Amino acid sequence: MKNIVVIGAGTMGNGIAHTFAQTGFKVNLVDISQEALDRGLKTITTNLDRIITKGNLTEEQKAETLGNITTFTELKDAAGNADLIVEAATENLDLKLKIFKQMDEFAPENCILATNTSSISITKIASVTKRADKVIGMHFMNPVPIMKLVEIIKGYSTSKETFDAVYEMSKNLGKVPVEVNDYPGFVANRILMPMINEAIETLYNGVAGVEEIDTVMKLGMAHPMGPLQLADFIGLDVCLAILNVMYDGFKNPKYAPNPLLVNMVTAGKLGVKSGEGFYDYSESKKAEKVSKMFLK
């Protein structure tokens, strides 16, 4: 596999495109507008400059990486010679099903169709295609160029050939692939999201404040960032979407999203990307200032 298509130039999509391009793959990056594509390329350029500053990349390698990326606003124009398409759109089932129908229509017959979904059933996504054996999950972690893990999720009909090809390709990207079966939340989010939800529950019940909860988990459990800061980093809307998928899939009340999380998303307080969540990011992207809503 040499020709890669990545759908979505947002946080995950541009990170996936960056990773493939830096490893030498030809990448067609697709989004609905040129403005979104330009933002994605700007982010990739900034991240490459950061790697150069650390002495781990040369200017020539940066130029080569950017030269490996071509942008498109139409999937049908990008997918003609694709060996692998990775969908990295918003965590919304209807949107993903729509995109996969288009992927199946426009991609060559032997092309593997992958999704970066963090919780949605691979089997359900594959059901709208005529190549369920070639549909698979590739759940990268954020930030993609740095994080080593990729959850490789087999749908009910995913073939061994498809799994083996994607597993080996992930290793060629410098990642550590882990085989996972197709259940809501997979492994990473099935364990992570209930922890984040419980941290929000702890705040909601007045057990402790935002900084206190995060400090306990950072210093007491050696987590690199606290669960509320991590929720802001992921996006509270994404956390809510994943919890809803798990709650719908398992019908277990332990996965029901806390009302505070629901209200914050409804109010547009989504974390870093909106400028405010549990912390205030109006002056810094670091979690240094607790949102005024949670000040004592």
Side-chain angles (χ1 to χ4, degrees):
M1 292 189 282
K2 296 180 180 179
N3 300 310
I4 312 300
V5 174
V6 177
I7 301 176
T11 301
M12 296 304 295
N14 72 61
I16 294 168
H18 171 166
T19 300
F20 273 105
Q22 191 176 332
T23 315
F25 292 91
K26 296 297 182 183
V27 179
N28 289 348
L29 180 60
V30 183
D31 211 309
I32 58 173
S33 72
Q34 191 58 49
E35 290 78 11
L37 290 165
D38 290 343
R39 286 194 300 270
L41 285 175
K42 182 179 179 181
T43 298
I44 293 170
T45 302
T46 299
N47 289 336
L48 288 169
D49 287 337
R50 188 175 291 119
I51 299 171
I52 290 172
T53 301
K54 294 179 179 179
N56 296 323
L57 195 74
T58 66
E59 287 287 351
E60 290 76 14
Q61 289 170 320
K62 170 189 169 182
E64 185 177 338
T65 298
L66 292 173
N68 283 335
I69 302 173
T70 307
T71 60
F72 293 83
T73 55
E74 296 290 340
L75 177 58
K76 63 182 178 181
D77 297 330
N81 66 342
D83 299 310
L84 169 70
I85 303 180
V86 182
E87 170 273 318
T90 305
E91 192 73 352
N92 176 285
L93 175 60
D94 291 338
L95 176 61
K96 289 186 184 295
L97 295 182
K98 177 182 177 182
I99 291 172
F100 264 78
K101 287 179 182 178
Q102 295 174 341
M103 290 162 64
D104 191 40
E105 178 183 354
F106 298 133
E109 188 176 330
N110 64 342
C111 179
I112 293 173
L113 309 181
T115 174
N116 183 57
T117 181
S118 50
S119 59
I120 296 171
S121 166
I122 308 304
T123 303
K124 184 175 290 186
I125 291 173
S127 70
V128 300
T129 76
K130 296 181 178 68
R131 61 180 89 190
D133 61 314
K134 291 183 171 62
V135 177
I136 196 165
M138 291 184 77
H139 181 210
F140 291 85
M141 304 294 128
N142 185 28
V144 180
I146 296 172
M147 300 292 278
K148 291 290 188 182
L149 175 66
V150 184
E151 287 185 306
I152 308 296
I153 306 109
K154 298 183 297 183
Y156 187 84
S157 300
T158 304
S159 70
K160 183 179 186 302
E161 291 75 18
T162 296
F163 176 83
D164 289 346
V166 171
Y167 191 91
E168 289 304 315
M169 169 177 271
S170 299
K171 290 197 289 188
N172 291 336
L173 290 174
K175 303 301 184 185
V176 178
V178 175
E179 179 179 351
V180 177
N181 288 318
D182 188 18
Y183 293 96
F186 314 133
V187 172
N189 283 313
R190 183 167 178 175
I191 295 170
L192 175 63
M193 286 302 153
M195 183 191 74
I196 286 176
N197 202 39
E198 194 64 31
I200 298 170
E201 181 85 12
T202 304
L203 177 66
Y204 181 69
N205 289 334
V207 178
V210 170
E211 284 186 304
E212 288 78 7
I213 291 168
D214 278 353
T215 299
V216 166
M217 296 305 292
K218 286 190 288 186
L219 300 185
M221 310 303 164
H223 290 193
M225 65 175 73
L228 300 178
Q229 180 188 358
L230 180 56
D232 276 356
F233 179 72
I234 294 169
L236 301 191
D237 54 336
V238 176
C239 294
L240 177 59
I242 295 169
L243 283 164
N244 279 331
V245 166
M246 292 167 64
Y247 184 52
D248 290 342
F250 291 116
K251 301 296 188 292
N252 188 322
K254 75 177 181 178
Y255 299 117
N258 181 271
L260 174 58
L261 174 61
V262 176
N263 282 346
M264 291 178 72
V265 172
T266 302
K269 307 299 184 183
L270 309 181
V272 176
K273 62 185 169 185
S274 72
E276 185 180 354
F278 294 104
Y279 294 86
D280 183 338
Y281 302 95
S282 58
E283 297 175 3
S284 171
K285 294 297 184 183
K286 297 179 180 179
E288 298 172 332
K289 182 180 178 183
V290 174
S291 171
K292 62 184 179 182
M293 179 181 176
F294 300 111
L295 293 177
K296 297 177 182 178

